[in-house]
Amino acid sequence: MPDTRYLILAVAVSAAVTWALRALPFTVLAPLRASPVVRYLGARMPAGVMVILCVYCLRDLSLADHRAVAPLAALAVTVGLHLWRRNALLSILGGTAASVLLASTVFPG
């Protein structure tokens, strides 16, 4: 069994490495916060990411299939809730609930 001094040193080194790895991104990226490019991307990327996720989720959807109505209606609910209340949590939860409800009750299997 290792001695106590070795264990304390191992825990201290582990804690220092963990703290350094968590603090490193903040210290390296701090000068970029004033950059206009980073501010522009910070303002535009959330909408872009949501569009990419929607396209990815709906990419295999066949519009000729009657089961396509459930995800499209859920997408409409999500967009409508977000335009109405401007609350991301509400629109995500409402769209998810609409999708699950429609897929399990109105358009099963």
Side-chain angles (χ1 to χ4, degrees), residues 18-47:
T18 301
W19 182 83
L21 289 176
R22 291 184 180 187
L24 182 67
F26 295 105
T27 57
V28 170
L29 297 178
L32 294 177
R33 289 186 185 141
S35 169
V37 173
V38 172
R39 274 192 260 139
Y40 175 79
L41 289 176
R44 301 290 185 232
M45 282 303 290

Short mmCIF file of all heavy atoms in Angstrom, two decimals, residues 18-47:
data_model
loop_
_atom_site.label_atom_id
_atom_site.label_comp_id
_atom_site.label_asym_id
_atom_site.label_seq_id
_atom_site.Cartn_x
_atom_site.Cartn_y
_atom_site.Cartn_z
N THR A 18 -6.64 18.93 -13.17
CA THR A 18 -8.06 19.11 -13.47
C THR A 18 -8.41 20.60 -13.49
O THR A 18 -9.10 21.07 -14.40
CB THR A 18 -8.92 18.38 -12.42
OG1 THR A 18 -8.58 16.99 -12.46
CG2 THR A 18 -10.38 18.56 -12.70
N TRP A 19 -7.94 21.35 -12.51
CA TRP A 19 -8.23 22.78 -12.46
C TRP A 19 -7.62 23.49 -13.67
O TRP A 19 -8.26 24.34 -14.29
CB TRP A 19 -7.68 23.39 -11.17
CG TRP A 19 -7.98 24.83 -11.06
CD1 TRP A 19 -9.13 25.40 -10.62
CD2 TRP A 19 -7.12 25.91 -11.44
NE1 TRP A 19 -9.04 26.76 -10.71
CE2 TRP A 19 -7.82 27.10 -11.21
CE3 TRP A 19 -5.83 25.96 -11.97
CZ2 TRP A 19 -7.27 28.34 -11.48
CZ3 TRP A 19 -5.29 27.20 -12.25
CH2 TRP A 19 -6.00 28.37 -11.99
N ALA A 20 -6.41 23.13 -14.04
CA ALA A 20 -5.75 23.77 -15.18
C ALA A 20 -6.48 23.46 -16.48
O ALA A 20 -6.66 24.35 -17.32
CB ALA A 20 -4.30 23.32 -15.27
N LEU A 21 -6.92 22.23 -16.65
CA LEU A 21 -7.64 21.88 -17.87
C LEU A 21 -8.99 22.59 -17.96
O LEU A 21 -9.46 22.91 -19.05
CB LEU A 21 -7.83 20.37 -17.95
CG LEU A 21 -6.56 19.58 -18.24
CD1 LEU A 21 -6.85 18.08 -18.21
CD2 LEU A 21 -5.99 19.97 -19.59
N ARG A 22 -9.62 22.84 -16.83
CA ARG A 22 -10.90 23.55 -16.85
C ARG A 22 -10.72 25.05 -17.02
O ARG A 22 -11.55 25.72 -17.60
CB ARG A 22 -11.69 23.25 -15.59
CG ARG A 22 -12.17 21.82 -15.59
CD ARG A 22 -13.02 21.52 -14.42
NE ARG A 22 -13.43 20.12 -14.48
CZ ARG A 22 -14.29 19.59 -13.68
NH1 ARG A 22 -14.85 20.32 -12.75
NH2 ARG A 22 -14.62 18.33 -13.80
N ALA A 23 -9.63 25.60 -16.51
CA ALA A 23 -9.40 27.04 -16.60
C ALA A 23 -8.75 27.44 -17.92
O ALA A 23 -8.88 28.59 -18.35
CB ALA A 23 -8.53 27.49 -15.44
N LEU A 24 -8.07 26.51 -18.57
CA LEU A 24 -7.34 26.83 -19.79
C LEU A 24 -8.21 27.42 -20.90
O LEU A 24 -7.83 28.44 -21.48
CB LEU A 24 -6.60 25.58 -20.29
CG LEU A 24 -5.74 25.76 -21.53
CD1 LEU A 24 -4.57 26.67 -21.21
CD2 LEU A 24 -5.25 24.41 -22.02
N PRO A 25 -9.38 26.85 -21.22
CA PRO A 25 -10.18 27.46 -22.29
C PRO A 25 -10.60 28.89 -21.99
O PRO A 25 -10.64 29.72 -22.89
CB PRO A 25 -11.40 26.54 -22.39
CG PRO A 25 -10.98 25.27 -21.81
CD PRO A 25 -9.96 25.60 -20.76
N PHE A 26 -10.89 29.19 -20.75
CA PHE A 26 -11.32 30.56 -20.40
C PHE A 26 -10.17 31.55 -20.55
O PHE A 26 -10.37 32.67 -21.01
CB PHE A 26 -11.88 30.60 -18.99
CG PHE A 26 -13.14 29.80 -18.84
CD1 PHE A 26 -13.12 28.58 -18.20
CD2 PHE A 26 -14.33 30.27 -19.36
CE1 PHE A 26 -14.28 27.83 -18.07
CE2 PHE A 26 -15.49 29.52 -19.25
CZ PHE A 26 -15.47 28.31 -18.61
N THR A 27 -8.98 31.13 -20.17
CA THR A 27 -7.85 32.05 -20.28
C THR A 27 -7.37 32.21 -21.71
O THR A 27 -6.96 33.28 -22.11
CB THR A 27 -6.69 31.58 -19.40
OG1 THR A 27 -6.33 30.25 -19.78
CG2 THR A 27 -7.04 31.61 -17.94
N VAL A 28 -7.44 31.14 -22.50
CA VAL A 28 -7.00 31.22 -23.88
C VAL A 28 -8.00 32.02 -24.72
O VAL A 28 -7.62 32.79 -25.60
CB VAL A 28 -6.80 29.81 -24.47
CG1 VAL A 28 -6.58 29.84 -25.96
CG2 VAL A 28 -5.63 29.12 -23.78
N LEU A 29 -9.29 31.84 -24.44
CA LEU A 29 -10.32 32.49 -25.25
C LEU A 29 -10.69 33.88 -24.75
O LEU A 29 -11.49 34.56 -25.40
CB LEU A 29 -11.56 31.61 -25.30
CG LEU A 29 -11.35 30.25 -25.99
CD1 LEU A 29 -12.64 29.45 -25.94
CD2 LEU A 29 -10.90 30.43 -27.42
N ALA A 30 -10.17 34.32 -23.65
CA ALA A 30 -10.53 35.64 -23.11
C ALA A 30 -10.23 36.77 -24.07
O ALA A 30 -11.06 37.68 -24.24
CB ALA A 30 -9.84 35.86 -21.78
N PRO A 31 -9.08 36.79 -24.77
CA PRO A 31 -8.86 37.88 -25.72
C PRO A 31 -9.83 37.87 -26.90
O PRO A 31 -10.04 38.91 -27.54
CB PRO A 31 -7.43 37.63 -26.23
CG PRO A 31 -6.81 36.75 -25.23
CD PRO A 31 -7.90 35.95 -24.63
N LEU A 32 -10.44 36.75 -27.20
CA LEU A 32 -11.36 36.68 -28.34
C LEU A 32 -12.74 37.26 -28.02
O LEU A 32 -13.53 37.48 -28.93
CB LEU A 32 -11.52 35.23 -28.80
CG LEU A 32 -10.27 34.58 -29.38
CD1 LEU A 32 -10.56 33.13 -29.72
CD2 LEU A 32 -9.82 35.33 -30.61
N ARG A 33 -13.04 37.50 -26.77
CA ARG A 33 -14.37 37.98 -26.41
C ARG A 33 -14.65 39.36 -26.99
O ARG A 33 -15.80 39.69 -27.26
CB ARG A 33 -14.54 38.01 -24.90
CG ARG A 33 -14.64 36.64 -24.32
CD ARG A 33 -14.95 36.68 -22.85
NE ARG A 33 -14.92 35.32 -22.33
CZ ARG A 33 -14.44 34.98 -21.17
NH1 ARG A 33 -13.97 35.91 -20.36
NH2 ARG A 33 -14.44 33.73 -20.79
N ALA A 34 -13.65 40.14 -27.20
CA ALA A 34 -13.83 41.48 -27.76
C ALA A 34 -13.87 41.47 -29.28
O ALA A 34 -14.14 42.51 -29.88
CB ALA A 34 -12.72 42.40 -27.28
N SER A 35 -13.65 40.33 -29.88
CA SER A 35 -13.61 40.23 -31.33
C SER A 35 -15.01 40.40 -31.92
O SER A 35 -15.97 39.77 -31.46
CB SER A 35 -13.04 38.87 -31.74
OG SER A 35 -13.22 38.66 -33.11
N PRO A 36 -15.16 41.21 -32.97
CA PRO A 36 -16.48 41.35 -33.59
C PRO A 36 -16.94 40.08 -34.29
O PRO A 36 -18.14 39.81 -34.36
CB PRO A 36 -16.29 42.50 -34.59
CG PRO A 36 -14.84 42.74 -34.69
CD PRO A 36 -14.17 42.11 -33.53
N VAL A 37 -16.00 39.27 -34.76
CA VAL A 37 -16.38 38.01 -35.41
C VAL A 37 -17.01 37.06 -34.40
O VAL A 37 -18.03 36.43 -34.66
CB VAL A 37 -15.15 37.36 -36.08
CG1 VAL A 37 -15.49 35.98 -36.61
CG2 VAL A 37 -14.61 38.24 -37.18
N VAL A 38 -16.40 36.98 -33.21
CA VAL A 38 -16.94 36.10 -32.18
C VAL A 38 -18.30 36.60 -31.71
O VAL A 38 -19.23 35.81 -31.50
CB VAL A 38 -15.95 35.99 -31.00
CG1 VAL A 38 -16.57 35.24 -29.84
CG2 VAL A 38 -14.68 35.29 -31.46
N ARG A 39 -18.46 37.91 -31.59
CA ARG A 39 -19.78 38.45 -31.20
C ARG A 39 -20.83 38.17 -32.27
O ARG A 39 -21.95 37.80 -31.97
CB ARG A 39 -19.68 39.94 -30.93
CG ARG A 39 -19.25 40.21 -29.51
CD ARG A 39 -19.42 41.66 -29.17
NE ARG A 39 -18.07 42.23 -29.30
CZ ARG A 39 -17.78 43.40 -29.82
NH1 ARG A 39 -18.72 44.17 -30.27
NH2 ARG A 39 -16.55 43.82 -29.90
N TYR A 40 -20.44 38.30 -33.55
CA TYR A 40 -21.37 38.01 -34.64
C TYR A 40 -21.78 36.53 -34.62
O TYR A 40 -22.96 36.20 -34.74
CB TYR A 40 -20.74 38.37 -35.98
CG TYR A 40 -21.59 37.99 -37.16
CD1 TYR A 40 -22.68 38.78 -37.53
CD2 TYR A 40 -21.31 36.85 -37.90
CE1 TYR A 40 -23.47 38.43 -38.61
CE2 TYR A 40 -22.10 36.50 -38.97
CZ TYR A 40 -23.17 37.28 -39.34
OH TYR A 40 -23.96 36.92 -40.39
N LEU A 41 -20.78 35.65 -34.47
CA LEU A 41 -21.09 34.21 -34.43
C LEU A 41 -21.93 33.86 -33.22
O LEU A 41 -22.82 33.01 -33.30
CB LEU A 41 -19.79 33.41 -34.44
CG LEU A 41 -19.01 33.41 -35.75
CD1 LEU A 41 -17.70 32.66 -35.58
CD2 LEU A 41 -19.83 32.82 -36.87
N GLY A 42 -21.66 34.51 -32.10
CA GLY A 42 -22.46 34.26 -30.90
C GLY A 42 -23.90 34.67 -31.07
O GLY A 42 -24.81 34.06 -30.49
N ALA A 43 -24.15 35.68 -31.87
CA ALA A 43 -25.52 36.13 -32.10
C ALA A 43 -26.22 35.30 -33.17
O ALA A 43 -27.43 35.08 -33.09
CB ALA A 43 -25.51 37.60 -32.52
N ARG A 44 -25.49 34.83 -34.17
CA ARG A 44 -26.11 34.13 -35.30
C ARG A 44 -26.08 32.62 -35.21
O ARG A 44 -26.92 31.96 -35.81
CB ARG A 44 -25.42 34.55 -36.60
CG ARG A 44 -25.48 36.01 -36.87
CD ARG A 44 -26.87 36.44 -37.23
NE ARG A 44 -26.88 37.85 -37.59
CZ ARG A 44 -27.70 38.73 -37.06
NH1 ARG A 44 -28.59 38.35 -36.19
NH2 ARG A 44 -27.64 39.99 -37.41
N MET A 45 -25.15 32.05 -34.50
CA MET A 45 -24.99 30.59 -34.50
C MET A 45 -26.15 29.83 -33.87
O MET A 45 -26.49 28.76 -34.37
CB MET A 45 -23.69 30.20 -33.81
CG MET A 45 -22.47 30.40 -34.68
SD MET A 45 -22.57 29.51 -36.24
CE MET A 45 -22.41 27.84 -35.67
N PRO A 46 -26.78 30.30 -32.79
CA PRO A 46 -27.89 29.50 -32.25
C PRO A 46 -28.99 29.25 -33.28
O PRO A 46 -29.49 28.12 -33.40
CB PRO A 46 -28.39 30.34 -31.08
CG PRO A 46 -27.20 31.10 -30.65
CD PRO A 46 -26.46 31.42 -31.92
N ALA A 47 -29.37 30.25 -34.05
CA ALA A 47 -30.40 30.04 -35.07
C ALA A 47 -29.88 29.11 -36.17
O ALA A 47 -30.61 28.24 -36.65
CB ALA A 47 -30.82 31.39 -35.66
#
